[in-house]
């Protein structure tokens, strides 16, 4: 049985930066102080983990350059590009940004980022990466590295194992799409008041992520990196994925067409769904709020497409990027990132600040005794292995497009909810899957046409 009091206490200490054991990092040469105290702004996604990393950066500053203070600013997932454009126009860019790789690819293609090959060399990023990842996945463009790896988050199948066992639905690890749909139907029919499956279908970023998983599993693409990123959304595979989503919709909560991130978690943690698509945060929330439900929760790779056999999952492949234009702290930011990234202690704190949502990307962090001492490993070892390591070979996102290449147009489309709007046309307007896909194809072709300048050369 997991010790939830110990878990809560550990998390509070983590956020306070307690436990300050001496770090075994080889320090970079100190940056020279230049005048009075200066603030270096750091953008991070909503959540405690960015703040933990910045605590480590400020430890570097206290030891090496007391005239600098790093401050965290929380930026919504889909707000980075617009806000960065505004701040660049004002000649006041952030020093450092934590982003998902599609945005990193776009900003690199726009020539807005500082190369970070020197940092990745200093932290031995390529050698330390968890098996299955490549350094280029985090944010490389035309052979140059623009992102320093920091974490990963796979979107997987979350299951209430007691319900699956009770209804004799088999092993979710071996399910294909048909067995998965049958399980969702059976739960809906035999568990009154409970949805069989919940995913986000609102006009938002979460829905985009959930929808694209099915498209890739069926063999579809939005753009084809092998053909100058030609728009390929209008395909038989994409139409098949839309038709499957329509099939699953009958076993979802009626309000799923409005759901985004938090609503999916709320449904699962409140016991209103037998299965859902989500990242590790569902487990963390359940441990905090509904321990009995947590005890029966398990994570699995996404069900395999019956034809392709693929189990692709949308994975937040996150890295640090450094805006190049008008950035007064590039040297200091690189030294501070190197300091924290080379510290197993700080990187364990970073991952454990939102356990198990923030997966470690370095092998020495993933296997560190302090990492394995987290209470979740006592009762959820199998699920944590799926989240942190077994999912990595199946990691994908719109930037990678099934690992055939990197795609700057994915960043431009990031946050526009075209994938979600196309599915909503099918579910709310009663359009046929093919017609909804064709509408989406036209939108993506417009995005490609407007941004073709990034593909030149």
């Amino acid at each position: 049985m997991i010790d939830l009091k110990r878990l809560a206490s550990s998390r509070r200490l983590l956020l306070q930066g307690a436990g300050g054991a001496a770090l075994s990092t080889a320090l970079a040469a100190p940056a020279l102080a230049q005048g009075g105290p200066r603030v270096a702004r750091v953008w991070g996604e909503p959540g405690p983990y960015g703040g933990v990393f910045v605590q480590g950066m400020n430890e570097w500053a206290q030891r090496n350059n007391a005239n600098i203070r790093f401050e965290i600013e929380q930026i919504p997932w889909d707000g980075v590009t617009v806000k960065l454009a505004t701040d660049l126009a004002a000649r006041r860019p952030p020093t450092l940004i934590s982003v998902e790789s599609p945005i990193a690819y776009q900003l690199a293609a726009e020539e807005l980022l500082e190369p970070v090959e020197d940092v990745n060399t200093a932290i031995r990023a390529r050698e330390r990466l968890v098996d299955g990842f490549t350094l280029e996945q985090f944010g490389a463009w035309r052979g140059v590295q623009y992102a320093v790896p920091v974490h990963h988050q796979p979107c997987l199948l979350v299951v209430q194992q007691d319900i699956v066992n009770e209804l004799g639905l088999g092993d979710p690890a071996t399910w294909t799409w048909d067995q998965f749909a049958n399980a969702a139907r059976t739960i809906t029919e035999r568990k009154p008041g409970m949805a069989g499956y919940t995913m986000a279908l609102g006009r938002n970023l979460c829905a985009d992520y959930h929808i694209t998983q099915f498209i890739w599993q069926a063999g579809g693409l939005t753009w084809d990196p092998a053909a100058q990123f030609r728009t390929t959304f209008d395909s038989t595979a994409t139409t098949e994925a839309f038709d499957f989503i329509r099939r699953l919709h009958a076993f979802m909560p009626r309000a799923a067409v409005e759901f985004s991130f938090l609503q999916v978690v709320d449904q699962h943690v409140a016991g209103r769904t037998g299965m859902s698509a989500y990242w590790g945060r569902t487990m963390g929330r359940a441990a905090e709020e509904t321990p009995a439900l947590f005890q029966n929760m398990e994570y699995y790779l996404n069900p395999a497409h019956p034809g392709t056999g693929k189990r692709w999952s949308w994975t937040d492949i996150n890295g640090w990027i450094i805006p190049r234009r008008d950035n007064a702290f590039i040297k200091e930011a690189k030294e501070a990132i190197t300091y924290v990234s080379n510290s197993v202690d700080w990187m364990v704190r970073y991952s454990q600040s939102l356990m198990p949502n923030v997966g470690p990307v370095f092998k020495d962090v993933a296997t560190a005794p302090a990492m394995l001492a987290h209470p979740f490993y006592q009762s959820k070892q199998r699920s944590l292995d799926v989240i942190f390591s077994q999912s990595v070979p199946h990691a994908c996102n719109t930037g990678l497009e099934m690992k055939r290449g990197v795609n700057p147009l994915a960043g431009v489309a990031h946050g526009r909810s075209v994938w979600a709007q196309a599915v909503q046309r099918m579910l709310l307007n009663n359009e046929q899957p093919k017609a909804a896909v064709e509408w989406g194809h036209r939108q993506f072709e417009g995005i490609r046409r407007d941004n073709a300048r990034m593909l030149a050369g």
Side-chain angles (χ1 to χ4, degrees), residues 346-384:
W346 271 115
M347 294 306 292
V348 167
R349 296 190 207 181
Y350 178 88
S351 288
Q352 291 186 351
S353 66
L354 198 63
M355 187 77 170
N357 203 61
V358 183
V361 291
F362 298 134
K363 285 180 283 197
D364 51 358
V365 177
T367 59
M371 189 72 195
L372 300 178
H374 192 281
F376 281 168
Y377 278 95
Q378 297 173 13
S379 60
K380 296 296 174 184
Q381 175 76 52
R382 193 205 62 79
S383 284
L384 263 61

Side-chain angles (χ1 to χ4, degrees), residues 66-88:
N67 288 324
I68 290 178
R69 183 177 75 256
F70 296 96
E71 288 190 356
I72 188 70
E73 299 177 12
Q74 290 196 346
I75 303 296
W77 293 276
D78 56 352
V80 170
T81 305
V82 172
K83 182 166 173 55
L84 179 59
T86 303
D87 283 22
L88 286 173

